[in-house]
Amino acid sequence: DTGVSQDPRHKITKRGQNVTFRCDPISEHNRLYWYRQTLGQGPEFLTYFQNEAQLEKSRLLSDRFSAERPKGSFSTLEIQRTEQGDSAMYLCASSLDGRGTNEKLFFGSGTQLSVL
Amino acid sequence: AQKITQTQPGMFVQEKEAVTLDCTYDTSDQSYGLFWYKQPSSGEMIFLIYQGSYDEQNATEGRYSLNFQKARKSANLVISASQLGDSAMYFCAMREGRYGGATNKLIFGTGTLLAVQP
């Protein structure tokens, strides 16, 4: 297993279009997270899955955002009716269950979204 | 509300010298975890070190050590013998929430940009 994979690496879209990103976590990890990072800032939490259950969503995640993790494997993040303010790096991360160093997040390389 | 504060937007250090990156946190939880991540210009987030709130000893991982002062709510990262490849953004993060609770997310600080000079 080579780590967390995200696709695409870059996405350019026009305002108002819908976009979908995919994340493939490390296979034995049952926790999956989506974060958003803008230039010069730390990652901001968007949502978290434990297996297929979406256990938490940030207030940052407006109703235009939806995430799924069918069968507890890969996850998709969809943004509908994109706005210029959605331009950011979208990071996916996964981790094992448990505490201590087990809970460290392994991040993918991210999807850089640019909304024109 | 839980919060991570990194007050140093940027720092310079000479190669082979040690450097300390500051991090303070705010939480009302008794059980929490503290993390440091490195983000080079290529963009990937790399885990460096972890400290649990109940760990009595400061965590160490190779050239990285975490100076954990619980009463002061600080978790500073110390990098010894800096190398040119250490130039990157460094983020402090905290896992909030209790085990078995609904949240296991990490919250991140705004980061410190470290530049190692030859």
Side-chain angles (χ1 to χ4, degrees):
Chain A
D1 195 302
T2 56
V4 179
S5 299
Q6 290 189 248
D7 184 69
R9 290 294 307 274
H10 304 274
K11 179 70 177 180
I12 301 174
T13 191
K14 292 182 179 178
R15 188 176 52 186
Q17 297 294 305
N18 299 344
V19 294
T20 300
F21 310 140
R22 177 181 171 120
C23 171
D24 288 272
I26 293 173
S27 57
E28 62 266 30
H29 288 182
N30 53 9
R31 295 183 185 174
L32 187 146
Y33 305 79
W34 285 98
Y35 282 82
R36 179 171 68 187
Q37 186 178 24
T38 53
L39 197 62
Q41 299 296 316
E44 296 175 296
F45 171 78
L46 293 179
T47 191
Y48 153 63
F49 290 85
Q50 178 88 19
N51 299 311
E52 67 275 10
Q54 188 175 19
L55 295 187
E56 187 170 356
K57 294 194 295 184
S58 165
R59 286 169 293 176
L60 292 174
L61 214 65
S62 75
D63 56 4
R64 297 184 298 105
F65 288 71
S66 62
E68 294 182 342
R69 193 184 182 195
K71 303 178 183 178
S73 56
F74 71 92
S75 176
T76 58
L77 177 68
E78 181 183 17
I79 309 174
Q80 296 182 326
R81 305 181 304 280
T82 52
E83 301 172 356
Q84 288 183 327
D86 297 332
S87 296
M89 175 73 82
Y90 289 84
L91 295 167
C92 178
S94 67
S95 75
L96 292 167
D97 206 352
R99 277 291 179 257
T101 54
N102 274 353
E103 60 183 323
K104 66 178 183 270
L105 302 186
F106 291 80
F107 282 85
S109 298
T111 294
Q112 181 66 54
L113 174 66
S114 298
V115 182
L116 304 179
Chain B
Q2 285 86 349
K3 186 178 179 181
I4 293 283
T5 301
Q6 295 180 255
T7 57
Q8 305 154 312
M11 289 192 68
F12 288 99
V13 65
Q14 288 295 123
E15 194 178 7
K16 300 181 184 177
E17 292 186 352
V19 63
T20 297
L21 306 183
D22 294 341
C23 172
T24 58
Y25 59 92
D26 186 22
T27 181
S28 56
D29 286 340
Q30 295 301 309
S31 174
Y32 50 89
L34 296 158
F35 302 77
W36 277 91
Y37 280 83
K38 170 184 178 181
Q39 188 175 42
S41 57
S42 53
E44 75 271 27
M45 294 282 285
I46 302 167
F47 167 78
L48 296 178
I49 197 166
Y50 166 85
Q51 179 85 42
S53 59
Y54 292 121
D55 294 342
E56 294 185 352
Q57 295 203 349
N58 288 341
T60 60
E61 290 282 353
R63 294 187 298 110
Y64 304 108
S65 60
L66 201 151
N67 184 0
F68 181 46
Q69 298 187 43
K70 194 171 182 177
R72 299 176 67 177
K73 292 189 175 179
S74 74
N76 298 340
L77 177 72
V78 180
I79 305 175
S80 63
S82 297
Q83 301 172 356
L84 295 178
D86 293 335
S87 295
M89 279 290 285
Y90 288 81
F91 291 99
C92 180
M94 178 172 65
R95 183 263 302 153
E96 56 179 3
R98 285 175 286 278
Y99 184 66
T103 180
N104 291 286
K105 67 190 182 196
L106 298 192
I107 55 170
F108 288 81
T110 53
T112 296
L113 181 62
L114 178 67
V116 181
Q117 296 178 313

